[in-house]
Amino acid sequence: MSSGQGGFMTRALHSEGHGKPMHAHSMPIFQTSTFAFESPEHGADLFARRRTGHIYTRIGNPTVEAFEAVVANLEGGEASVAFASGLAAIFGTLMSSLQAGDHVLSGDTLYGPSLNQIERTLTRYGIEATFVDTSDPAAVERGLRETTRVVFLETPANPTCRITEIRRVSELARRVKALVVVDATFATPCFLRPLEWGADVSLHSTTKFINGHGDAVGGVVTTAAALAERIRKFRTDTGACCSPFDAWLNLRGLRTLALRMERHDRNALAVAGFLASHPGVSRVHYHGLPGDPGHAAARREMSGFGSTFAFEMAGGYESAKRLLERIRMMTLAVSLGTLDTLIQHPASMTHASISEEMMRRQGLTPGMVRIHVGLEDDEDIIEDLRQALEGVQ
Ligand SMILES: *Cc1c(COP(=O)(O)O)cnc(C)c1O
């Protein structure tokens, strides 16, 4: 068996390949800004791409490349490009695929800053953007134009866990030759591989589950070799590179991703079930629950549900605030994918920068709380929620 084959866990451990320097078992951190040339000809050949090798870390670094190789393997894609953040990965992908006069059709339920990047920044450079509910294929069909070059979507979408069936959207997008770019941060390649369902690009904020320990910010894009090359050039031109140390942390995170996701998933189902039956909670938006509108679609394309979801307090905003004041073990913080449980209030935190109109379209309410269910013992997470909910109503 070659080092790039086998099941998900095997590939996470072996697909970066052998041949690490000085027989190192763990890929070393190449903490260097530049690389020495053997001769003037060697330097000139590297720049002219007559030979492969390293020149300067903004252009390429062995630790970053090792991380990219494992991601590409796990996603089933030709090449991956690592970025300084998830938002930089989104920007690099969109800017490498669009030019003035083009149209991007975007999901309307997105991580708030992703929405702002498209709505506020891209549109200043002659790119047109419209927003639809991509979980509804008919809305996608109506939204597509002759000039649509990219369909950008998130699934499961942040924070309400709307599920888009990638296969259906990809079929529609292909008719106008638009690329389908999927932010699958909530699912990770462990539970969802967008390229398998017809998407052209899969991307992640590695800050979340891929790093997994809440100690580095980053992003990664996986796609066909030619587009990856354009995205890589854009990264070099704009300097949004991933640092060697962060790449190393992410590489380490990938090694346990499948193990962590299994437990995140199990814990999230238990916590969602508890919340759904609590009188203080009026609604749980989690596609892992059989009654959820996204459940059937999620089961078709995903092999697990993930651990981040939203729920609405029956008492609205005041109750949400009280709940967050009363938590003991859980951490009041944005982000997700950490080992421990995080809880936050989207309307005043992660999604505070988006318009009221967008909040309404996303179904984002003032009484909504988002939880990332961590790896603690599930009864302890539930107990913390139970005691916090007791004083609310
Ligand atoms: C966090 C997040 C991002 C942005 O990633 P950063 O690493 O914070 O730049 C993008 N998409 C989703 C779904 C996220 O959760």
Side-chain angles (χ1 to χ4, degrees):
M1 188 167 75
S2 95
S3 58
Q5 292 171 348
F8 190 91
M9 192 77 192
T10 306
R11 287 181 288 127
L13 298 177
H14 294 282
S15 58
E16 124 209 8
H18 302 295
K20 293 181 200 100
M22 303 178 112
H23 310 286
H25 169 256
S26 164
M27 183 67 187
I29 306 168
F30 280 82
Q31 195 67 19
T32 182
S33 56
T34 195
F35 296 83
F37 305 132
E38 290 158 16
S39 65
E41 291 74 27
H42 179 222
D45 283 350
L46 288 174
F47 271 97
R49 293 174 154 236
R50 285 187 293 268
R51 288 171 70 175
T52 56
H54 296 96
I55 298 173
Y56 185 67
T57 281
R58 176 164 47 71
I59 304 170
N61 175 286
T63 314
V64 178
E65 285 160 12
F67 168 60
E68 291 170 339
V70 180
V71 174
N73 184 294
L74 295 179
E75 290 270 19
E78 288 177 4
S80 298
V81 188
F83 279 88
S85 70
L87 279 180
I90 295 171
F91 193 61
T93 303
L94 295 178
M95 291 298 274
S96 304
S97 317
L98 293 163
Q99 58 186 34
D102 289 348
H103 170 244
V104 52
L105 182 65
S106 170
D108 60 10
T109 305
L110 297 181
Y111 179 66
S114 308
L115 222 145
N116 291 336
Q117 181 183 108
I118 295 170
E119 201 176 25
R120 294 208 298 241
T121 300
L122 287 189
T123 55
R124 286 176 51 216
Y125 299 93
I127 293 162
E128 280 189 274
T130 52
F131 299 88
V132 294
D133 176 1
T134 53
S135 70
D136 174 8
V140 173
E141 191 164 18
R142 282 195 303 274
L144 286 169
R145 302 177 186 175
E146 278 305 312
T147 55
T148 308
R149 294 279 66 86
V150 169
V151 177
F152 179 73
L153 65 96
E154 219 175 274
T155 187
N158 189 348
T160 46
C161 288
R162 271 194 199 151
I163 303 294
T164 294
E165 259 185 271
I166 299 167
R167 185 182 55 79
R168 299 189 65 179
V169 169
S170 300
E171 281 165 10
L172 294 168
R174 208 165 294 132
R175 292 189 201 159
V176 296
K177 298 195 170 65
L179 295 176
V180 174
V181 178
V182 177
D183 180 341
T185 298
F186 272 37
T188 83
C190 182
F191 286 161
L192 175 66
R193 287 169 298 279
L195 306 183
E196 288 178 1
W197 302 101
D200 301 282
V201 181
S202 170
L203 65 83
H204 300 275
S205 164
T206 59
T207 314
K208 315 296 167 52
F209 295 98
I210 289 180
N211 167 277
H213 296 67
D215 50 20
V217 171
V220 71
V221 180
T222 305
T223 186
L227 179 55
E229 191 52 33
R230 287 217 306 278
I231 294 172
R232 192 179 294 280
K233 282 203 179 104
F234 184 87
R235 183 187 69 180
T236 299
D237 290 349
T238 54
C241 53
C242 173
S243 83
F245 183 54
D246 288 354
W248 184 84
L249 290 170
N250 293 341
L251 198 49
R252 190 175 60 168
L254 279 178
R255 303 202 193 292
T256 55
L257 180 66
L259 273 179
R260 288 184 282 111
M261 291 312 289
E262 207 180 294
R263 168 111 170 187
H264 278 303
D265 204 45
R266 191 152 30 89
N267 280 359
L269 264 175
V271 169
F274 164 75
L275 289 169
S277 66
H278 196 285
V281 174
S282 55
R283 183 158 175 206
V284 177
H285 298 264
Y286 182 49
H287 50 294
L289 294 174
D292 189 84
H295 185 70
R299 286 188 70 125
R300 275 194 283 278
E301 296 190 346
M302 298 172 68
S303 57
F305 302 107
S307 73
T308 304
F309 62 89
F311 58 95
E312 289 178 54
M313 295 296 294
Y317 174 66
E318 283 307 318
S319 299
K321 193 160 159 269
R322 286 275 295 147
L323 174 78
L324 296 180
E325 283 164 358
R326 290 177 52 86
I327 53 163
R328 290 186 189 147
M329 178 201 70
M330 297 181 282
T331 304
L332 176 60
V334 299
S335 200
L336 53 124
T338 50
L339 301 170
D340 57 325
T341 300
L342 307 179
I343 192 161
Q344 62 110 0
H345 182 245
S348 67
M349 296 174 187
T350 44
H351 291 66
S353 60
I354 69 173
S355 65
E356 273 186 31
E357 146 78 5
M358 274 298 179
M359 283 203 199
R360 203 176 39 73
R361 284 172 65 168
Q362 298 193 354
L364 204 163
T365 62
M368 189 174 274
V369 172
R370 191 187 76 185
I371 188 168
H372 153 66
V373 180
L375 305 178
E376 299 95 341
D377 299 276
D378 60 355
E379 61 264 35
D380 295 329
I381 306 169
I382 290 171
E383 184 45 41
D384 197 19
L385 283 165
R386 191 197 318 276
Q387 68 76 25
L389 281 163
E390 242 159 48
V392 179
Q393 310 303 340

